[in-house]
């Protein structure tokens, strides 16, 4: 297999920062007077989560889960398992799931079902990047950042074989 070419810039850190701020304003407004639990899906969401919570104007609790989907680096197979499960109680709490990117929707769809069974008082989803053209199941995204084309992106927490997560901007990987 040939080595991938250099990534090509899609969104700058300034553009991402403005969008994260807009999402934080919306979340702060909607959850005023509440104390939601923000649940990040590792690993990709950790950069987004770190930036988002510092722009919120409400108190939040934070936890992370690690889900693995079987498949290659670029294609989700559809089978998902919780690798590192939830430590925080979900029942009766306002839960906001923080996802980096929704592609087929299988990963987050699985996790939303898993959470629903644990009877939260509310359950919403915030995703910074949305690739709707590849969706396999309908996913209600309550707080959506950028809608992006069907390209494989890296940077801002997103990797390709554990590379490029540290990049502050978002890039498209060429095939
Ligand atoms: P889905 O289950 O929605 O197909 O895929 C969700 C997961 O696949 C994301 O949480 C992310 O880890 C990974 N993923 C999907 N699309 C991309 C992409 O364009 N770039 C990267 N780096 N990961 C992606």
């Amino acid at each position: 297999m040939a080595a991938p070419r250099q990534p090509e810039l899609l969104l700058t850190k300034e553009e991402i920062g403005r969008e994260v701020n807009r999402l934080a304003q919306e979340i702060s407004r909607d959850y005023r007077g509440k104390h939601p639990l923000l649940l990040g899906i590792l690993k990709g969401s950790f950069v987004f989560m770190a930036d988002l919570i510092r722009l919120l104007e409400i108190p939040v609790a934070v936890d992370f889960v690690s889900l693995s989907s079987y498949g290659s680096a670029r294609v989700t197979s559809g089978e998902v398992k919780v690798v590192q499960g939830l430590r925080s109680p979900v029942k009766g709490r306002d839960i906001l799931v923080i996802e980096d990117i929704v592609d087929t929707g299988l990963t987050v769809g699985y996790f939303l079902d898993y959470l629903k069974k644990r009877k939260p008082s509310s359950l919403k989803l915030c995703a910074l990047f949305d690739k709707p053209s590849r969706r396999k199941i309908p996913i209600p995204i309550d707080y959506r950042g950028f809608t992006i084309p069907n390209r494989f992106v890296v940077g801002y927490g997103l990797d390709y074989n554990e590379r490029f997560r540290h990049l502050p901007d978002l890039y498209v990987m060429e095939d």
Side-chain angles (χ1 to χ4, degrees):
M1 194 178 76
R5 276 184 268 149
Q6 283 307 301
E8 162 200 319
L9 185 66
L10 184 65
L11 293 166
T12 65
K13 59 178 185 289
E14 289 78 17
E15 290 171 307
I16 296 171
R18 280 195 292 276
E19 190 58 21
V20 175
N21 192 39
R22 186 191 69 76
L23 291 168
Q25 303 282 318
E26 233 182 282
I27 292 166
S28 301
R29 190 195 60 215
D30 293 354
Y31 285 89
R32 195 153 312 279
K34 297 185 173 169
H35 187 217
L37 170 64
L38 270 53
L39 276 180
I41 303 182
L42 290 172
K43 298 178 189 172
S45 71
F46 80 101
V47 174
F48 175 37
M49 177 76 97
D51 283 347
L52 182 72
I53 60 167
R54 285 177 291 175
L55 293 165
L56 292 174
E57 292 158 9
I58 49 160
V60 291
V62 169
D63 202 354
F64 288 95
V65 289
S66 186
L67 306 179
S68 87
S69 43
Y70 304 89
S72 69
R74 290 179 181 229
V75 184
T76 312
S77 69
E79 266 187 89
V80 179
K81 69 171 181 181
V82 177
V83 170
Q84 192 188 359
L86 267 183
R87 278 153 304 220
S88 312
V90 166
K91 194 169 178 195
R93 298 180 79 179
D94 294 305
I95 308 288
L96 178 58
V97 173
I98 306 296
E99 175 64 306
D100 45 3
I101 186 164
V102 180
D103 185 13
T104 64
L106 294 169
T107 307
V108 80
Y110 168 88
F111 189 50
L112 291 172
D113 285 346
Y114 173 97
L115 290 171
K116 254 179 237 158
K117 290 187 192 128
R118 282 152 182 82
K119 307 254 182 295
S121 86
S122 71
L123 179 60
K124 288 189 180 185
L125 171 64
C126 172
L128 183 57
F129 305 114
D130 182 17
K131 277 204 280 196
S133 56
R134 296 216 334 138
R135 198 73 89 250
K136 287 197 176 151
I137 53 170
I139 298 291
I141 303 179
D142 304 281
Y143 303 98
R144 177 188 284 103
F146 299 94
T147 300
I148 60 169
N150 181 18
R151 310 285 297 278
F152 192 84
V153 291
V154 295
Y156 199 73
L158 290 160
D159 75 314
Y160 176 65
N161 285 340
E162 286 303 327
R163 292 180 65 197
F164 310 118
R165 279 193 208 281
H166 65 290
L167 299 174
D169 308 287
L170 191 77
Y171 296 83
V172 167
M173 288 290 304
E174 289 301 314
D175 296 315

